[in-house]
Amino acid sequence: MNDKDIELLEESFKKFYFDHFNLIHVPENPNQREFGFQKFGSGMNRHISLKTDKELHLLLMQKVPSDVYVSNACYSFPNLPMNEKDWKNAELIFDIDAKDLGVKSREKHSCVKCAECNEVSTLQPSCPSCQSNKLSKITLSCNDCITEAKDQVKKLNEILIDDFGINQDSIQVFFSGNEGFHIYVNNSEFQSIGAKERAEIVDHIMFRGLIPETFGFKKFNSEKTSLPDFNESGWRGRVSKTLYGSKSMRAKVSKEIISSGYSAFQKQLETIKEQIGVRIDPNVTVDVHRIFRLPGSLNSKSGLVKIFVNDITKFDPYVDACFIDSENTQVVANCPIQFTLKNKKFGPYRQKTISVPKYAAVYMICKGIASSV
């Protein structure tokens, strides 16, 4: 990213923060939170204490950060080094990212950029210009990926309510500003638990570590084996619905599973794990000292906003999270694939000087497939 790119992005981000202060607020107990930020082309600044919206807004206007973060944890001394902060509690946060979901159509919306000559091309093992294999993958907007991520959010929401007794009002969903969602659990009994207990929650949600005995399968005496009923709650019910398909098939499928033996059922459970478990990033939930992108702030990987999602089904991130203005902006674009923002299609462009709305220019520069003129 060159100086002209940084100048355009900083100007665009500053205007966004000036025009949309209403989207950005310090969280509850701000004096107990650790804040952090990055500027374009520089490292992370952490261990910052902010107490009011006014202080936050002042930071945004003076520093014009590329990214702004805040801890889910509360500390006695948030501005001190980590080992001196005195951790008090932290909200449960789950991260669902489209890049981890294995969506088949994702390849159609991806390209590669060469680290040696900066050539951008469709997916291939080496650079068509200099033959280098030092390539970074770039993925643009993809509705299939977002749809799959939404489905994971819905599954997680169901488990949090049904298995953990969390009230729906305590669950908040945010679009991450790039390709995924952050799910917050606020004001719950789980805020005071540590990393070990959070790891156990992660295992449950991801359907990890479950064994045939959990579902009534006896390893050494198949006559006493009794698989779960179709309408049971929790994982027993979810597994039975996946295995049987319908209530009327329980007897037939159960008999087949039991006759196939313990090891076969164990492999079957492993096979359906990806299908029925929620594909969250386990490290995010377990880490009680992580700082997360601040809701209402811009994501420098896309120029889109991390924004609250009221209705996950209707939410369209490439419209609802796109707040940069539409001023005509010239860039040199090297974008071999098409993408959509605000219901408008852009690309493909082959090393071409174009005039596009600023939100599209910012998006491409953030993705590394365009440069400011």
Side-chain angles (χ1 to χ4, degrees), residues 350-366:
R350 175 64 180 170
Q351 203 63 36
K352 183 179 180 182
T353 300
I354 55 172
S355 182
V356 294
K358 187 178 286 183
Y359 60 81
V362 166
Y363 182 79
M364 287 190 285
I365 292 172
C366 287

Side-chain angles (χ1 to χ4, degrees), residues 104-160:
K104 292 180 181 178
S105 62
R106 186 173 176 79
E107 302 298 284
K108 298 177 183 177
H109 300 275
S110 300
C111 54
V112 288
K113 186 172 185 177
C114 178
E116 298 288 345
C117 69
N118 290 325
E119 174 70 12
V120 180
S121 60
T122 54
L123 288 182
Q124 46 198 295
S126 61
C127 174
S129 180
C130 71
Q131 284 69 57
S132 171
N133 59 5
K134 296 180 180 179
L135 306 175
S136 58
K137 189 174 181 180
I138 299 170
T139 301
L140 305 188
S141 59
C142 172
N143 286 327
D144 290 344
C145 289
I146 291 298
T147 298
E148 178 58 34
K150 286 180 177 182
D151 290 342
Q152 296 293 318
V153 173
K154 293 172 186 176
K155 282 202 292 183
L156 174 60
N157 192 73
E158 177 186 310
I159 292 170
L160 292 176

